[in-house]
């Protein structure tokens, strides 16, 4: 996709601080190249990339929205909550993210133990190399398994090793919806439910989630996502309107090797939507 076709606003992407493959500076350079003028950095459970992204954005005249994508366990299911326009220095938020980091390390150890039983040795050390000192995630184990020649690509690794029922799957114990929202609000941010279609919930269950989210003071829904189809975007636009939620839009960019999901490669919000960025 050419730069001209990219959306000027992209409120969801990942750097090497979590499971993205570009550094924060690299993301900013790419955003400039693609004509994205407002970018939110939303790494999984960390804001460690924000300062570097902000510095690079200031140099390039780009607006960087400090963000985070928090891992939540809601009714035995993992969901992701975006915190947008947060103060990354806020204490409650940082303490919460530190606890999540600890959870991630404990889970990574268990994943490695299980992979060891499946004949994959030293997986923790191997995955840590890919994590480059940032937040460790299943993606880093996936890269290692590809490197060892046990699967052709990351998607195949997930399917055969890292999802429920497979040898390297360990259910993460993340935080409650209430907790995630309280940290985001303490940090002065706006919370949005990320990529709602990805959870494969029934409409009834999704409505239950959004009802609870609203009751806890949640304000946004990621209507347009790089992981949604056009019809998904449209449907989520209707749902946002129904619940009175502000609409967010983000590519969920992880790096150039995920060629199907490029920075800024998202369509505009449906007309019915109230854009979340008006409230930053
Ligand atoms: P974690 O938060 O450590 O459980 O890892 C979740 C991350 O793994 C997501 O944010 C995606 O980047 C990646 N991921 C999850 N499922 C898949 C999949 N089927 N194929 C490729 N990447 C995936
Ligand atoms: Mn990810
Ligand atoms: Mn996500
Ligand atoms: Mn994401």
């Amino acid at each position: 996709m050419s730069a001209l076709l990219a959306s000027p606003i992209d409120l969801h992407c990942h750097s090497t601080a979590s499971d993205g493959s570009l550094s924060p500076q690299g993301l900013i350079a790419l955003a400039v190249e693609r004509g994205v003028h407002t970018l939110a950095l939303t790494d999984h459970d960390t804001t460690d990339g924000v300062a570097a992204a902000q510095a690079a954005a200031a140099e390039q005249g780009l607006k960087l929205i400090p963000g985070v994508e928090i891992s939540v366990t809601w009714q035995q299911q993992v969901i992701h909550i975006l915190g947008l326009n947060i103060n990354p220095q806020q204490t409650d938020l940082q303490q919460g993210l530190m606890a999540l980091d600890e959870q991630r390390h404990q889970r990574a150890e268990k994943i490695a133990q299980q992979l060891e039983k499946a004949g994959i040795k030293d997986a923790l050390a191997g995955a840590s190399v890919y994590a480059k000192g940032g937040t460790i995630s299943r993606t880093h184990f996936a890269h290692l398994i590809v490197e060892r020649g046990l699967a052709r690509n990351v998607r195949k690794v997930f399917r055969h090793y890292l999802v429920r029922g497979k040898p390297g799957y360990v259910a993460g114990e993340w935080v409650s919806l209430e907790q995630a929202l309280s940290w985001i609000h303490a940090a002065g941010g706006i919370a949005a439910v990320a990529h709602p279609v990805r959870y494969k919930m029934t409409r009834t269950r999704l409505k239950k989630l959004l009802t609870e989210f609203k009751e806890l003071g949640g304000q946004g829904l990621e209507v347009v996502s790089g992981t949604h189809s056009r019809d998904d975007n449209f449907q989520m636009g209707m749902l946002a309107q129904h619940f009175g939620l502000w609409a967010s839009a983000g590519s969920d960019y992880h790096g150039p090797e995920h060629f199907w999901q490029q920075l800024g490669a998202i369509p505009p919000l449906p007309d019915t939507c109230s854009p979340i960025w008006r409230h930053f």
Side-chain angles (χ1 to χ4, degrees):
M1 191 183 264
S2 82
L4 287 174
L5 292 174
S7 159
I9 300 173
D10 187 337
L11 302 180
H12 189 156
C13 69
H14 297 270
S15 75
T16 44
S18 65
D19 61 349
S21 59
L22 296 188
S23 65
Q25 295 88 341
L27 275 174
I28 299 301
L30 181 63
V32 170
E33 189 187 312
R34 291 183 58 78
V36 173
H37 64 54
T38 302
L39 183 72
L41 178 61
T42 54
D43 276 308
H44 297 288
D45 306 322
T46 182
T47 59
D48 288 354
V50 169
Q54 237 162 359
E59 268 177 31
Q60 304 277 341
L62 187 139
K63 192 172 162 101
L64 190 279
I65 307 294
V68 65
E69 182 175 19
I70 300 182
S71 307
V72 163
T73 306
W74 181 77
Q75 298 195 343
Q76 276 98 50
Q77 188 175 2
V78 179
I79 65 158
H80 288 169
I81 300 294
L82 295 167
L84 297 172
N85 210 24
I86 48 166
N87 167 10
Q89 267 103 44
Q90 206 277 333
T91 313
D92 299 14
L93 173 69
Q94 284 310 325
Q95 281 177 352
L97 297 182
M98 266 162 59
L100 270 169
D101 191 53
E102 181 53 34
Q103 287 295 109
R104 282 191 170 272
H105 278 286
Q106 288 176 11
R107 185 188 62 156
E109 277 174 23
K110 288 186 198 151
I111 291 175
Q113 283 165 10
Q114 290 186 194
L115 289 175
E116 179 101 27
K117 285 185 208 147
I120 301 172
K121 295 203 190 324
D122 299 321
L124 186 56
S128 300
V129 172
Y130 283 100
K132 298 186 182 122
T135 301
I136 190 153
S137 83
R138 282 184 291 164
T139 308
H140 304 119
F141 284 97
H143 286 304
L144 175 77
I145 292 169
V146 172
E147 175 200 297
R148 301 256 176 106
L150 297 165
R152 281 224 335 263
N153 57 47
V154 164
R155 280 180 165 181
K156 291 216 163 83
V157 181
F158 269 89
R159 200 176 313 147
H160 296 298
Y161 292 93
L162 298 176
V163 294
R164 203 183 285 270
K166 299 298 170 180
Y169 180 76
V170 176
E173 285 165 38
W174 310 125
V175 298
S176 67
L177 189 58
E178 187 173 8
Q179 197 119 68
L181 285 167
S182 79
W183 298 337
I184 292 166
H185 292 150
I190 300 177
V193 175
H195 44 60
V197 179
R198 278 260 296 279
Y199 312 121
K200 299 189 167 71
M201 290 180 183
T202 61
R203 193 46 69 100
T204 310
R205 186 169 163 84
L206 184 54
K207 283 186 162 170
K208 193 164 176 226
L209 168 65
L210 295 180
T211 303
E212 216 170 287
F213 178 75
K214 272 287 276 195
E215 280 167 5
L216 293 167
Q219 288 164 306
L221 182 68
E222 194 175 46
V223 165
V224 167
S225 167
T227 71
H228 286 171
S229 71
R230 295 256 167 173
D231 185 55
D232 293 337
N233 293 338
F234 176 76
Q235 297 291 335
M236 292 306 107
M238 304 285 282
L239 211 55
Q241 194 182 20
H242 176 81
F243 278 89
L245 290 165
W246 301 329
S248 193
S251 62
D252 207 357
Y253 181 71
H254 278 74
E257 69 280 15
H258 296 225
F259 54 86
W260 60 93
Q261 213 169 312
Q262 290 302 318
L263 196 71
I266 41 170
L269 286 179
D271 291 340
T272 51
C273 287
S274 169
I276 201 165
W277 51 86
R278 290 210 189 128
H279 305 277
F280 290 160

